[in-house]
Amino acid sequence: MITITLWPLCGLGTLVLSLTSIVFYWRIAISIPASIPVVGVRNEVLSKTRAWIRELTAGLATLHEGYFTHNTKGKSFALLDTSGRPHIVIPKESLRWLVSQPETVLNHREVLDSKFAVKYFITPIRKALDVGMVIAIRRDLTRSLGKTQRELFELMRERVDTIMGLDESWHEVSLIGILEPAMSSLNHRMLVGEELCRNKTFIRSLGTFSNMLGLASILIGQYVPFFLAPLAGYATYLIIYVFWKRALKYLIPACQERLNLIHRDKTDPDFSYQPSLDIMQWIIGTCPDATATEIANAILCVALGAIHTTIGTTATAMLDILSSPPELGYYEAIHDEAAEVFKNKEDWGNSDSINKLTCTDSAIRESMRLNPSFGRVAMHEVLSKNGVTLPNGPHVPRGTWLGIALTGIQLDERYYPGAHAYDPFRFSRGRAEIAQMEENEKTESTRAVGEKTREGNEPSTVSEKQSDSGKAVESKPNGALISTSQEEFPAFGFGRHSCPGRWFAAHIMKMGLAYIAMNYEIEHIKERPANPIWGDCIIAPRNVNLRVRRRKSG
């Protein structure tokens, strides 16, 4: 009887496997030129399907095999990702070409919508509002760091002290349990302002929505076979919708209140309104015709990317530092630097103090080098109906995905001697000559972001442009800051689509790590837990507990 009832399931499984094999073979046949090798595919029956199945548990092994076998020789390679979609990974030397193509030829938004399945869960954001969001983050958020530093510090200090405690005896706390509320609170403050960021019900709703959407985005976008993703995505939307509506319940009225205040300020001569320093206000300023619902949805999109990234990166850095041999004194070096920079409470309220944390900056950047958020970056889909010819020769058709092997580049001994070792102060050596260049980059980026460029895209930053002679400006890894985007370090992306909020992210991560090191002793971690890899995403471990105690005052 049991055998009989299993027959329908066996038949269904065979049908799905056969359909998957047919689609994979068809997709590779139309997308991958014969001259480009497909890494991970062996000479066996159902080779493409079995390669996809192996990729589900391969982590970054296939990507690294292709990078060190082909990319290091200036050649492209292809692989099947965990959704079964073939990708062509081009060498680093083609990165500038990749990010400089018009959006009508190579488009990054198409990849993001599919790779993270957001097109199934979030209301599409129109072009003008999308550009306004980037301007608000890249220009206004970066410029506001000095004005909001004191408030951000007090908020971070309050969260950290509450969770880690003021007890000078040893006790145990969760690493993510520290960083999640601390980093989230700073993101929430700059997203929606002081009042709403302290509304516990809203914050809980936003956190639940962000976590659920993040999980669904990875599972649907990167684990479900790409041709079944629409079915799975729209089915999952019914669950996401509940949490989405709960978050909007607070956000839409808050956005509408802002719009009303701005309108009254313009029409009522007896009324004066002092604009808030937050992304909600800046989006209204850059896109004044946006509705409250559109602004609220835009804020949810920003929250999804910003919060998880800052939490995960800070957690990874702390794990790297605390699991290093204690005799090397990395954690105490971070403490000593913080103690030197922050001699009194007033120093914490000065954003210029954060810029002096060169060792802390370098330690976080080194962790991002070893364990970035993604295995591949600068992903683009070919939109040109005639396809596109790659710099190294092959011609690929419309619909093909192109990208760069981020983790391969950042583990390449040609750019990073001792690339597989954690060297936290690798980038703080020779920083004096780099600091001024980074400051110039920040100033130029905030000044130029509003200027029109071809097809309405944001201009590249200084370090990503060409020299007056027309030759590419050479970038060097050593001495660079967390937020510096380079061909050898594209962890924040590269070119006009690099992360617009990277200066803010670097700012709060350094502040958080410095405050913890200055005020708390933490026991050495004997064995560092590995970062789980889900599809193309590298996640910080969530089940790590630390033994901590408050440093003795004086």
Side-chain angles (χ1 to χ4, degrees), residues 6-17:
L6 288 179
W7 273 112
L9 293 177
C10 293
L12 179 61
T14 302
L15 177 63
V16 171
L17 186 62

Side-chain angles (χ1 to χ4, degrees), residues 76-119:
S76 301
F77 69 93
L79 56 77
L80 285 171
D81 72 0
T82 48
S83 71
R85 183 188 295 270
H87 292 194
I88 293 179
V89 183
I90 62 178
K92 179 185 76 70
E93 292 75 16
S94 300
L95 176 57
R96 289 181 182 271
W97 169 85
L98 179 66
V99 300
S100 66
Q101 299 305 301
E103 290 290 319
T104 53
V105 177
L106 297 179
N107 190 284
H108 84 297
R109 177 63 65 182
E110 295 293 328
V111 176
L112 292 180
D113 287 348
S114 297
K115 184 178 178 181
F116 296 105
V118 293
K119 60 184 178 182

Side-chain angles (χ1 to χ4, degrees), residues 128-289:
L129 183 56
D130 191 24
V131 172
M133 286 168 52
V134 173
I135 294 174
I137 297 169
R138 189 190 297 270
R139 183 190 66 192
D140 299 318
L141 176 60
T142 304
R143 287 177 176 176
S144 75
L145 292 177
K147 298 176 182 178
T148 57
Q149 169 58 26
R150 186 175 302 279
E151 185 180 349
L152 290 175
F153 165 68
E154 291 296 342
L155 193 58
M156 183 272 299
R157 181 190 60 78
E158 175 187 318
R159 294 291 191 273
V160 171
D161 287 354
T162 299
I163 298 162
M164 299 189 73
L166 303 178
D167 191 350
E168 294 181 353
S169 61
W170 290 103
H171 56 283
E172 197 168 271
V173 294
S174 163
L175 174 59
I176 294 297
I178 299 167
L179 298 177
E180 200 162 62
M183 294 291 112
S184 296
S185 65
L186 303 183
N187 280 282
H188 294 152
R189 164 59 189 87
M190 298 312 299
L191 280 170
V192 298
E194 170 67 17
E195 182 178 353
L196 198 53
C197 87
R198 292 186 179 275
N199 184 318
K200 294 182 180 180
T201 306
F202 164 69
I203 295 304
R204 187 163 51 249
S205 299
L206 180 59
T208 304
F209 169 76
S210 181
N211 290 333
M212 291 295 294
L213 183 58
L215 179 61
S217 295
I218 294 176
L219 293 179
I220 304 301
Q222 300 194 46
Y223 279 96
V224 174
F226 66 90
F227 58 91
L228 296 177
L231 178 63
Y234 289 124
T236 308
Y237 169 76
L238 299 176
I239 301 173
I240 301 297
Y241 178 81
V242 175
F243 300 101
W244 174 58
K245 277 296 186 182
R246 287 179 183 175
L248 290 180
K249 176 183 176 182
Y250 296 91
L251 267 178
I252 293 178
C255 294
Q256 187 61 57
E257 182 181 3
R258 292 283 185 92
L259 292 172
N260 294 340
L261 289 171
I262 293 172
H263 176 73
R264 184 181 175 188
D265 185 54
K266 292 179 179 179
T267 58
D268 185 350
D270 298 325
F271 180 75
S272 178
Y273 171 60
Q274 181 64 39
S276 177
L277 295 174
D278 55 52
I279 290 174
M280 181 192 296
Q281 187 74 33
W282 298 322
I283 289 177
I284 295 173
T286 57
C287 198
D289 63 333

Side-chain angles (χ1 to χ4, degrees), residues 28-29 31-41 48 66 70-71 74-80 86-91 388-397 400-402:
I28 289 180
S31 299
I32 309 300
S35 59
I36 295 181
V38 182
V39 178
V41 176
K48 275 72 173 181
H70 303 288
N71 278 174
K75 299 179 180 179
S76 301
F77 69 93
L79 56 77
L80 285 171
H87 292 194
I88 293 179
V89 183
I90 62 178
V388 68
T389 300
L390 302 180
N392 56 358
H395 184 85
V396 296
T400 304
W401 281 14
L402 305 175

Side-chain angles (χ1 to χ4, degrees), residues 412-488:
D412 194 328
E413 294 278 346
R414 294 178 299 172
Y415 313 124
Y416 300 99
H420 290 272
Y422 179 67
D423 179 4
F425 309 131
R426 181 191 299 269
F427 299 101
S428 58
R429 304 183 186 109
R431 266 287 301 278
E433 61 271 26
I434 298 294
Q436 188 59 49
M437 182 177 69
E438 170 67 12
E439 186 62 30
N440 292 341
E441 178 183 351
K442 183 192 296 187
T443 302
E444 177 66 17
S445 179
T446 56
R447 182 190 303 121
V449 68
E451 298 175 357
K452 291 184 178 180
T453 58
R454 285 181 297 180
E455 297 145 15
N457 292 311
E458 307 82 61
S460 300
T461 55
V462 172
S463 67
E464 297 156 356
K465 294 182 178 179
Q466 292 185 329
S467 66
D468 294 336
S469 64
K471 296 181 179 180
V473 176
E474 183 181 7
S475 56
K476 298 180 179 180
N478 282 347
L481 298 168
I482 298 173
S483 53
T484 305
S485 181
Q486 298 172 309
E487 288 173 283
E488 298 86 3

